[in-house]
Amino acid sequence: MPFSDFHGNPEVVRTVREMLARERFPHAVILSGPTGSGKFTLAQMIAKTMNCLERSTADGLPDFCGHCANCVRIAEADHLEDRFAEAVEARENLREADKRETRILVQTHPDVLIIPPDPPQMLVKVDQVRHVISEIYYKPAEGRERVYIFSDADFMKEAANSLLKILEEPPEFATIFLLTDNPSALLPTIRSRCVQLRLAPLTPSQVEEYLAEARPEWKARARGLVARLCGGALGRARSFDLAQYLAARQDALALLAPAMGARDHSELFKVTESYRAGVDGKSKLDATIRVLYSLLEDLLFVKSGTPEMARNQDMLAELKRMSEEVDFDWIVSATQRLGELESGMRRNLLRSLALDSFAAALEK
Ligand SMILES: [Zn+2]
């Protein structure tokens, strides 16, 4: 899996490889970009190239082999979600006292450490950073560079301050990656000590290209639609459940139907009644709310004469018909009411009733 397998953002990949070629890779890098843009994949590729035992070049720039002992062991963490789940489960099985003192870390190679946010708060904690401090000043054991990847750089305050101490005096042979979708949430003092690289979300056509390889069993039409719906996130695109999305959209359209002039409310009640209490009902409602946001946004695009921006490209004719029933003020107030519905759900309002009154309010 060399760099040529990385999808999108060719300029950033080139910059990274040029830095690797000069053998002067920065000691601290903020790698930002939306979910699914490949931040972790790229950090892993860099870690492999730094430590590859049979480092090669492609297009005149450094690349990794993917099959030497170092590449293989680093790659064991490529599926970070699985390694993370294993680490969390291992902690769950510890005695109470040990559990409290154990922080989640993922390490499949002695010189590459991944520091995910620690549950349940899902923040990086000071003990995790202390662990980094305790080993970062030792020379690499089996590779050339020590690599530390904070896979979601959301720090508790004390942890951020500890990290700052490392960033002030990083050792020659170590590189720290801070991956984030929102670099401005990091302390300015951290940001100023890091080189910033930004991955842009992938365009629908880039995602479509990727899906043609990753999901050849899907119909081209489905791939095109998923590419639009996934918001440029490859991981989301690959595992996108289109059937579930379309079911949620069916419900969302039923909720909007009265506002679009439908007289018969029986379909609406049938839909809202199906939203039950409990965890299942919650994920079903979350999905419907997300679809409602995207439909309202699409209506805005269609109304403002930029239908090509709409995500639900397969139902443009329907969106056009709907957009003629409402004005801009309606879309704005519908979006506000959707926000209220969302926060109401956090207060555990009865789901079916809340949906009924949401639909009724839009009708006026
Ligand atoms: Zn290798």
Side-chain angles (χ1 to χ4, degrees), residues 40 44 51 70 72-80 82-84 86-87 103-116 128 131-132 134-136 138-143 145-149:
F40 182 68
Q44 283 281 91
N51 291 304
N70 283 347
V72 166
R73 274 185 298 165
I74 296 169
E76 283 168 19
D78 280 354
H79 294 283
L80 181 59
D82 296 346
R83 299 294 87 77
F84 175 76
E86 286 162 13
R103 293 284 164 255
I104 302 297
L105 297 164
V106 171
Q107 185 153 40
T108 60
H109 184 283
D111 298 319
V112 181
L113 181 72
I114 298 153
I115 308 99
Q128 288 171 294
H131 183 95
V132 173
S134 74
E135 60 163 59
I136 194 170
Y138 292 102
K139 286 216 159 117
E142 294 176 41
E145 286 270 342
R146 280 189 176 275
V147 181
Y148 296 86
I149 304 173

Side-chain angles (χ1 to χ4, degrees), residues 32-59:
S32 66
T35 307
S37 54
K39 302 184 288 288
F40 182 68
T41 304
L42 186 57
Q44 283 281 91
M45 287 180 167
I46 297 168
K48 287 171 197 168
T49 311
M50 284 173 165
N51 291 304
C52 181
L53 299 169
E54 294 168 40
R55 188 158 148 174
S56 56
T57 51
D59 316 323

Side-chain angles (χ1 to χ4, degrees), residues 26-332:
H27 295 298
V29 175
I30 295 173
L31 193 49
S32 66
T35 307
S37 54
K39 302 184 288 288
F40 182 68
T41 304
L42 186 57
Q44 283 281 91
M45 287 180 167
I46 297 168
K48 287 171 197 168
T49 311
M50 284 173 165
N51 291 304
C52 181
L53 299 169
E54 294 168 40
R55 188 158 148 174
S56 56
T57 51
D59 316 323
L61 290 170
D63 214 328
F64 57 98
C65 75
H67 53 69
C68 72
N70 283 347
C71 280
V72 166
R73 274 185 298 165
I74 296 169
E76 283 168 19
D78 280 354
H79 294 283
L80 181 59
E81 277 170 30
D82 296 346
R83 299 294 87 77
F84 175 76
E86 286 162 13
V88 172
E89 197 189 327
R91 179 166 74 179
E92 279 309 303
N93 293 330
L94 295 175
R95 290 181 316 164
E96 254 339 287
D98 295 335
K99 216 186 270 186
R100 270 196 299 277
E101 287 179 7
T102 304
R103 293 284 164 255
I104 302 297
L105 297 164
V106 171
Q107 185 153 40
T108 60
H109 184 283
D111 298 319
V112 181
L113 181 72
I114 298 153
I115 308 99
D118 195 81
Q121 300 89 341
M122 294 309 279
L123 291 168
V124 177
K125 294 179 183 155
V126 70
D127 288 345
Q128 288 171 294
V129 181
R130 282 194 187 129
H131 183 95
V132 173
I133 295 176
S134 74
E135 60 163 59
I136 194 170
Y137 295 97
Y138 292 102
K139 286 216 159 117
E142 294 176 41
R144 289 184 295 269
E145 286 270 342
R146 280 189 176 275
V147 181
Y148 296 86
I149 304 173
F150 288 87
S151 57
D152 190 350
D154 204 352
F155 293 88
M156 291 186 80
K157 197 161 173 253
E158 213 187 337
N161 289 331
S162 291
L163 176 72
L164 209 46
K165 282 185 212 134
I166 315 178
L167 295 181
E168 278 161 4
E169 266 183 285
E172 265 308 301
F173 43 74
T175 296
I176 297 167
F177 287 99
L178 304 176
L179 312 188
T180 176
D181 51 9
N182 180 17
S184 60
L186 289 163
L187 289 179
T189 42
I190 288 183
R191 284 206 306 271
S192 67
R193 285 177 171 82
C194 296
V195 168
Q196 294 208 38
L197 295 170
R198 174 156 190 82
L199 295 176
L202 272 68
T203 64
S205 63
Q206 285 173 321
V207 178
E208 243 183 292
E209 222 169 85
Y210 165 77
L211 285 175
E213 287 167 35
R215 285 278 177 256
E217 71 278 17
W218 289 1
K219 291 208 175 81
R221 203 179 136 83
R223 291 200 294 259
L225 183 56
V226 169
R228 293 243 163 207
L229 294 171
C230 71
L234 283 193
R236 235 190 117 204
R238 190 177 48 234
S239 56
F240 200 92
D241 188 338
L242 189 58
Q244 192 188 53
Y245 176 84
L246 292 176
R249 192 171 75 180
Q250 207 57 46
D251 284 7
L253 288 170
L255 288 165
L256 296 179
M260 305 296 162
R263 300 240 180 278
D264 180 9
H265 287 35
S266 59
E267 181 58 30
L268 170 68
F269 295 136
K270 214 160 78 194
V271 165
T272 59
E273 220 181 50
S274 71
Y275 285 77
R276 308 275 174 192
V279 182
D280 284 354
K282 186 184 179 307
S283 58
K284 183 172 157 161
L285 182 65
D286 286 345
T288 307
I289 288 176
R290 276 201 304 278
V291 177
L292 278 165
Y293 275 120
S294 84
L295 286 173
L296 291 172
E297 195 183 59
D298 283 358
L299 284 174
L300 212 52
F301 287 133
V302 173
K303 249 194 134 43
S304 30
T306 51
E308 69 281 2
M309 304 276 287
R311 291 187 181 208
N312 295 276
Q313 281 291 322
D314 60 322
M315 49 171 289
L316 268 189
E318 171 78 353
L319 285 169
K320 191 151 185 346
R321 191 195 63 75
M322 290 167 74
S323 74
E324 280 155 12
E325 296 287 335
V326 296
D327 55 20
F328 282 109
D329 287 346
W330 180 90
I331 300 177
V332 172

